[in-house]
Amino acid sequence: MQEIFDLLIRNASIVDGTGAPRFAGDIGIRGDRIARIGDLSKLRGALEIDLAGRIAAPGFIDAHTHDDRFMLSNPDMTPKVSQGVTTVIGGNCGVSLAPMPRPIPDPVTPPLNLLDGEGEWFRFPSFAAYLEALRSAPAATNCAMLVGHTTLRVATMDDLTQPATAAEIDAMRKLVDAAMRAGAIGVSTGLFYEPAIAAPTEEIIEICRPLKEFNGLYCTHMRDEADRVIDSL
């Protein structure tokens, strides 16, 4: 019996992501899995697409995005999927949509307004609640999310012009621990931005201590991108 695929992509120039040279071939798909790759010229698919030599490649990962809100408000993710992006990393530069266990300041403190200038999307008291919203109405892309240090400061501190107190550091560290348990992949900082400029290195170290248990990532946005960029590096 002739093998039938749900989708058969013919005459592709395949770049498989391994670093190997591209090669000509066909791709047979069943359900949501690639079943076979190679010369499938004698096989058939319920739906067939002839790429006529165009490239077929694994989906791209956009590692630096601020799509935290966009995945909820525009789940079709057209700006990304139209470019072949299938996974986005959000929560960069110290800016994440969650956790926000108290009302967001009005007006929204920059750079948090990168995600939502009106503040209505900063509605998730915990990172778990935010991730659940993403899961309940999945966007067209996959995602992996960081917790933003600036968001943590806004959520726990009354005076952002000062280093965090021991009690504020403890509160932020607990939010990081909860976020990591919920599924966050790490913490990002935006130390060049006004709400986090006053944070000393020791504050970052103490807040990020939960990352060790989860093998989490620390993603830095340097303290200076201008005249002191070399010092920052």
Side-chain angles (χ1 to χ4, degrees), residues 49-170:
I49 299 174
D50 188 341
L51 289 195
R54 295 179 181 88
I55 290 174
F60 303 131
I61 300 172
D62 191 345
H64 187 123
T65 83
H66 295 290
D67 291 333
D68 307 49
R69 184 269 305 165
F70 198 71
M71 284 185 289
L72 296 171
S73 63
N74 298 76
D76 56 9
M77 295 295 285
T78 299
K80 297 305 171 80
V81 298
S82 63
Q83 300 182 77
V85 172
T86 56
T87 298
V88 298
I89 312 298
N92 285 288
C93 303
V95 182
S96 61
L97 207 55
M100 191 56 63
R102 64 181 184 180
I104 189 77
D106 184 17
V108 178
T109 304
L112 269 61
N113 60 354
L114 281 170
L115 302 183
D116 176 18
E118 302 301 320
E120 63 180 80
W121 287 97
F122 286 93
R123 62 181 70 160
F124 305 102
S126 67
F127 210 81
Y130 170 61
L131 293 181
E132 180 55 34
L134 290 174
R135 293 187 185 104
S136 63
T141 57
N142 301 308
C143 67
M145 307 305 294
L146 298 157
V147 186
H149 167 246
T150 297
T151 296
L152 295 172
R153 285 190 123 232
V154 171
T156 59
M157 297 178 63
D158 294 322
D159 187 353
L160 298 174
T161 67
Q162 300 296 318
T165 65
E168 290 165 340
I169 288 173
D170 183 62

Side-chain angles (χ1 to χ4, degrees), residues 20-70:
R22 70 179 66 179
F23 60 95
D26 310 313
I27 304 170
I29 299 171
R30 288 196 191 90
D32 61 357
R33 293 289 185 271
I34 294 174
R36 288 183 64 181
I37 297 176
D39 182 0
L40 309 180
S41 57
K42 296 182 180 179
L43 305 178
R44 294 292 177 263
L47 173 64
E48 298 191 7
I49 299 174
D50 188 341
L51 289 195
R54 295 179 181 88
I55 290 174
F60 303 131
I61 300 172
D62 191 345
H64 187 123
T65 83
H66 295 290
D67 291 333
D68 307 49
R69 184 269 305 165
F70 198 71

